[in-house]
Amino acid sequence: MILFPDSMPVFLNFHAHRAAVSPAEAVVRNFVLPQQGPGEAEKVAGSPFSAGIHPWYIPARTDEALADLDRLASCPSCVAIGEAGLDKLASASMDVQCGLFRRQALLAVAHGLPLVVHCVRAWGELLALRREFPQELVCVVHGFRGKPELARSLLDKGFWLSFGFRFHPQSLTLCPPDRLFLETDEDPRPVDELYRTAAALRGCSPEDLATQCRENLANLARKLKK
Ligand SMILES: [Zn+2]
């Protein structure tokens, strides 16, 4: 798997729909299929990226999009599947969303990749789905804004958490360092700013937090790609 070389910038942005906006930012670019098409993801092949089918944009031809996703997942620079997810505000039924979540989770397991999870008001469904999968499925809940009780419950069940600019400070501080990522998602600001805020709350330096998050991505790859 191609991760960021040591010569690359330090601040890992685990999930963003754009390229880097600061020289210090190392972005895992996310591609939403089929909106962006596999061609777009392939253009950046060589830099770490993630790709998946978002619950807001479920295509009519799901099989085709999943076949494209399967192919993209084989790229050495694909570091995660997703965002896959469950969203009570999306127009697709929960049944359809759960079905697609399962199929993306199976792809993640088959390719030894983590699954980036988008979850809106469907935590019960997410936990039920997670129980269907073996330990090797690592789910990273992205853009986590939940309260500490929810954070604890997810962490207890093996989930990882990725925080954006909007987060509950206690949830951020209780997350163990080895199950944490930071991301900007749709936000145009560089992730560097978020590292400074998060590091101050966690009582460490932004550089140490950055080293930890980069190691987390490398550790996930080592753990899953066996
Ligand atoms: Zn996103």
Side-chain angles (χ1 to χ4, degrees), residues 15-17 30 32 54 83 116 118 142 183-186:
H15 177 90
H17 300 273
N30 181 257
V32 179
H54 193 287
E83 44 195 294
V116 180
H118 164 109
H142 102 92
E183 60 168 68
T184 60
D185 198 11
E186 311 272 7

Side-chain angles (χ1 to χ4, degrees), residues 14-196:
F14 179 70
H15 177 90
H17 300 273
R18 55 158 177 76
V21 292
S22 110
E25 198 180 32
V27 176
V28 176
R29 184 101 179 248
N30 181 257
F31 292 90
V32 179
L33 297 181
Q35 248 73 3
Q36 293 176 297
E40 272 195 67
E42 273 154 359
K43 268 187 240 156
V44 303
S47 315
F49 71 90
S50 60
I53 304 166
H54 193 287
W56 290 355
Y57 310 113
I58 298 181
R61 294 184 183 162
T62 315
D63 285 347
E64 231 168 72
L66 283 163
D68 285 338
L69 184 56
D70 190 20
R71 194 161 51 79
L72 279 176
S74 312
C75 293
S77 47
C78 184
V79 301
I81 299 282
E83 44 195 294
L86 306 171
D87 190 329
K88 288 269 168 79
L89 304 177
S91 57
S93 71
M94 211 22 77
D95 261 8
V96 167
Q97 293 188 45
C98 287
L100 193 55
F101 183 96
R102 262 186 210 102
R103 293 182 69 185
Q104 294 189 86
L106 285 170
L107 277 182
V109 172
H111 288 276
L113 294 170
L115 188 67
V116 180
V117 174
H118 164 109
C119 186
V120 175
R121 301 185 194 170
W123 300 104
E125 288 86 347
L126 176 63
L127 293 177
L129 275 168
R130 176 67 191 81
R131 281 194 293 271
E132 294 177 18
F133 288 89
Q135 286 311 103
E136 308 91 79
L137 176 66
V138 171
C139 291
V140 183
V141 176
H142 102 92
F144 185 74
R145 300 175 188 176
K147 292 187 177 152
E149 299 73 40
L150 179 60
R152 265 190 216 100
S153 151
L154 291 169
L155 289 162
D156 283 349
K157 291 167 181 78
F159 284 83
W160 291 48
L161 301 178
S162 180
F163 296 87
F165 279 100
R166 284 178 61 190
F167 59 83
H168 192 297
Q170 271 170 276
S171 300
L172 176 79
T173 50
L174 70 81
C175 185
D178 60 353
R179 277 210 266 150
L180 169 82
F181 288 113
L182 297 177
E183 60 168 68
T184 60
D185 198 11
E186 311 272 7
D187 198 295
R189 288 173 281 178
V191 80
D192 330 7
E193 284 181 31
L194 182 55
Y195 273 87
R196 282 192 284 276

